[in-house]
Amino acid sequence: MTIEIRPATAADAAAIADLHQRSWRSAYRGLLPDSYLDGPAGDQLAAHWSGAFAKDEPCRMMILIAMAPDGIAGFVAAWPKGPDRALIDNLHVAPGLRGGGLGRRLMGRAAAELRRLGFRSAFLEVIEGNHDARGFYRRLGGVEGAPFVEPIGGHPTRVIPVAWDDLAVLEAAGGP
Ligand SMILES: CC(C)(COP(=O)(O)OP(=O)(O)OC[C@H]1O[C@@H](n2cnc3c(N)ncnc32)[C@H](O)[C@@H]1OP(=O)(O)O)[C@@H](O)C(=O)NCCC(=O)NCCS
């Protein structure tokens, strides 16, 4: 199956929000309250993504979407957090496609795009109990920092920062 990765547009916002909610419901069960995942999270994610495409700095924001012939397969986004440091925010692969290398491709492509935009380093935050994602990030050379508590949807949640001091390392780990 051919999966193309391309920059997302405002027309993709609803599909991204839908996958984001499905991915949270499958991967974050037990990590965030059911009442939140099955309740307000959907509307919050829809509002987040419709707002994301309305922001004024399109050249400094990056949202990549992976498209399979039958619809969205994954996405990744990043935002500036300093002159040359980016926050990689929200990497999700469709539940039925995980483990097939798409997450690696998305991270490599994101690193390449961020370097093209002038960024040198990046970090992200992962829920402490999301051991699969933490293993994936370690495989791609990410270095974990000390846990801290951050509200997710208003729920205090222990998260771990994961950093790549050199985006070239992440780009190389992402494959050709
Ligand atoms: C985390 C996620 C993005 C990874 O994407 P993926 O397509 O499943 O991962 P890939 O198939 O590209 O895996 C890439 C490498 O990581 C490794 N890997 C994946 N999960 C791993 C784990 N739990 N422990 C160790 N290594 C792991 C794979 O073995 C592979 O290495 P290899 O090529 O040497 O075998 C995806 O599983 C996902 O969407 N999870 C749910 C949402 C989520 O938690 N997102 C992260 C939010 S911070």
Side-chain angles (χ1 to χ4, degrees):
M1 178 173 52
T2 304
I3 297 181
E4 177 210 8
I5 298 176
R6 60 163 171 80
T9 70
D12 299 312
I16 291 173
D18 178 64
L19 173 53
H20 200 165
Q21 184 181 23
R22 284 189 284 128
S23 185
W24 270 21
R25 283 180 172 171
S26 71
Y28 290 6
R29 193 67 67 186
L31 301 178
L32 294 175
D34 286 353
S35 58
Y36 174 63
L37 291 175
D38 299 327
D43 284 347
Q44 285 180 12
L45 292 172
H48 171 80
W49 287 110
S50 57
F53 288 97
K55 289 200 165 97
D56 322 337
E57 289 186 279
C59 64
R60 300 295 281 173
M61 108 184 162
M62 187 202 73
I63 306 174
L64 299 176
I65 187 169
M67 290 301 296
D70 57 352
I72 181 170
F75 66 91
V76 62
W79 315 94
K81 283 285 174 180
D84 60 5
R85 187 163 183 252
L87 168 66
I88 296 177
D89 189 26
N90 293 310
L91 169 72
H92 291 273
V93 169
L97 296 173
R98 289 176 191 157
L102 181 56
R104 182 194 284 280
R105 271 183 69 199
L106 277 165
M107 287 293 273
R109 183 68 187 274
E113 192 65 16
L114 287 169
R115 291 181 75 209
R116 193 182 63 77
L117 290 168
F119 293 94
R120 297 168 61 88
S121 65
F123 72 103
L124 55 78
E125 292 166 7
V126 58
I127 296 178
E128 187 177 40
N130 190 352
H131 296 288
D132 285 341
R134 289 174 62 187
F136 166 80
Y137 293 133
R138 279 195 296 269
R139 188 88 181 96
L140 270 57
V143 177
E144 291 191 345
F148 61 96
V149 174
E150 185 167 84
I152 299 183
H155 302 277
T157 309
R158 278 173 68 87
V159 299
I160 300 212
V162 180
W164 287 264
D165 286 344
D166 183 354
L167 273 167
V169 171
L170 182 56
E171 182 176 352

